[in-house]
Amino acid sequence: MSGQAFRWRKMGDAWEGVIGNHWVRLTAQPNAIHAKAAERITDWGWLTEYLQTDLQLDSILLTFPHDDAMRASVAACHGLRLLRQDPWECLASFILSSTKQIVQIQQIVAALCVRFGTSLPVPEGHEPVHAFPTAERLALATEQELRACKMGFRAPYLLKTARMIVSDNVNLGRLKYLNVDQARDELRRLPGVGNKIANCVLLFAYGFQQAFPVDVWVMKALRQLYFPKRRPSPKRLLHFTQTYFGPNAGYAQQYLFHYMRSRRNRRLPSEARRRRG
DNA sequence: TCAGACCCTCACAG
DNA sequence: ACTGTGAGGGTCT
């Protein structure tokens, strides 16, 4: 899984997670994905939308720039796709992500769901699972209750954001009708949401393919692969990320992100030591 | 434009 | 095994 969603767990050869109010177990088949839910499902639209199964990945990859870095990234992340997440869940999750390791984000989100999410139907004998808490529910929480979910200084951000959503100060449903820059400005009105998190939400929840989140990993990739000599100015960097990678820059970003992280994960211990010295 | 603060947890040296 | 230290999908002031 890509790491753009924080609620999936690998169980043997399957992935288990929650989409909206559905528990699901996904298993890779030779030329398909097998899905199992807890209840009888007549309309699987929510799942195909989430997985973006209609999207032709090949045609996306064709729009990437033809350079060594992108070629290496595509080769290293074969078949990587973006999910289409629920805007509120995506927004809240990424508010919780700042200066946290991905494992820690997963733990915070899990705690939040157990504490504030409604419990969902699961298969016989399966451990209980919970929906992601609604903005309405979190708006009624106290900062202290949120801090109990280990989110630290992010608690007031999440709380105030939830209240702004509930009071319709910012309307998440309306963003899809705006252009990408207007939508970004709107998201940035929320406390705890800067450029990076706004771009994550634009890309992962609304499908603005040109949104290009720059986090520490992508910054590392850009500097290493495209600006080896000198650090680019923020303005130069912004211009580069919005022009060089083409109409699906956000997709390209995700390939770079995973390329960098996979290299980190396979780093030799000797390399780790050198980094410290 | 730029530090420094912000909560907390885990990995890693020693 | 145990403890001190640093940094982690940033944002705000």
Side-chain angles (χ1 to χ4, degrees), chain A residues 1-4 57 61 73-74 77-82 251 253-259:
Chain A
M1 282 282 166
S2 63
Q4 71 167 99
L57 187 56
L61 300 183
S73 300
V74 171
C77 314
H78 183 71
L80 176 69
R81 287 167 163 271
L82 294 186
Y251 241 98
Q253 179 269 5
Q254 204 60 186
Y255 274 83
L256 289 173
F257 175 78
H258 283 281
Y259 179 50

Side-chain angles (χ1 to χ4, degrees), chain A residues 36-269:
Chain A
K36 173 186 166 59
E39 313 155 286
R40 179 161 296 282
I41 306 290
T42 53
D43 180 4
W44 288 94
W46 51 273
L47 182 59
T48 55
E49 167 74 7
Y50 183 86
L51 295 175
Q52 294 283 291
T53 49
D54 287 342
L55 179 138
Q56 293 299 317
L57 187 56
D58 293 348
S59 62
I60 299 273
L61 300 183
L62 283 174
T63 67
F64 288 0
H66 302 285
D67 63 42
D68 290 343
M70 280 314 304
R71 265 192 289 276
S73 300
V74 171
C77 314
H78 183 71
L80 176 69
R81 287 167 163 271
L82 294 186
L83 303 173
R84 182 63 57 88
Q85 296 179 259
D86 171 71
W88 163 246
E89 175 171 346
C90 185
L91 169 64
S93 298
F94 276 96
I95 286 175
L96 300 175
S97 76
S98 68
T99 53
K100 277 287 183 195
Q101 297 177 358
I102 289 180
V103 176
Q104 296 175 21
I105 303 165
Q106 293 167 339
Q107 291 168 354
I108 296 170
V109 169
L112 195 67
C113 292
V114 168
R115 176 67 183 79
F116 297 104
T118 62
S119 106
L120 299 174
V122 289
E124 197 62 34
H126 194 283
E127 65 173 335
V129 300
H130 302 262
F132 192 89
T134 62
E136 286 76 11
R137 179 63 189 90
L138 292 189
L140 296 174
T142 64
E143 181 179 326
Q144 201 171 22
E145 286 178 313
L146 294 182
R147 279 178 187 263
C149 298
K150 318 283 189 188
M151 67 184 72
F153 63 78
R154 302 156 196 81
Y157 294 154
L158 181 60
L159 185 56
K160 287 175 191 160
T161 288
R163 290 178 177 168
M164 283 178 72
I165 298 298
V166 170
S167 68
D168 210 29
N169 191 327
V170 169
N171 186 325
L172 292 182
R174 207 168 55 87
L175 296 190
K176 61 184 168 197
Y177 303 115
L178 305 178
N179 69 42
V180 66
D181 293 317
Q182 294 171 325
R184 186 183 301 106
D185 288 344
E186 197 63 11
L187 283 170
R188 289 196 47 167
R189 292 178 50 223
L190 298 163
V193 180
N195 259 325
K196 190 273 173 180
I197 290 174
N199 280 325
C200 283
V201 176
L202 293 174
L203 180 63
F204 300 146
Y206 291 96
F208 284 106
Q209 304 284 36
Q210 63 274 59
F212 195 101
V214 178
D215 58 43
V216 291
W217 290 102
V218 174
M219 181 62 93
K220 196 188 295 188
L222 292 174
R223 288 182 57 180
Q224 236 177 66
L225 304 172
Y226 296 103
F227 299 92
K229 306 261 188 203
R230 205 162 61 85
R231 214 180 84 179
S233 70
K235 192 177 172 183
R236 175 88 187 84
L237 192 72
L238 180 66
H239 181 259
F240 180 74
T241 58
Q242 295 194 337
T243 55
Y244 180 74
F245 293 99
N248 300 295
Y251 241 98
Q253 179 269 5
Q254 204 60 186
Y255 274 83
L256 289 173
F257 175 78
H258 283 281
Y259 179 50
M260 286 311 279
R261 283 185 57 84
S262 64
R263 297 209 307 178
R264 192 281 305 254
N265 292 337
R266 277 177 219 133
R267 188 181 58 205
L268 299 171

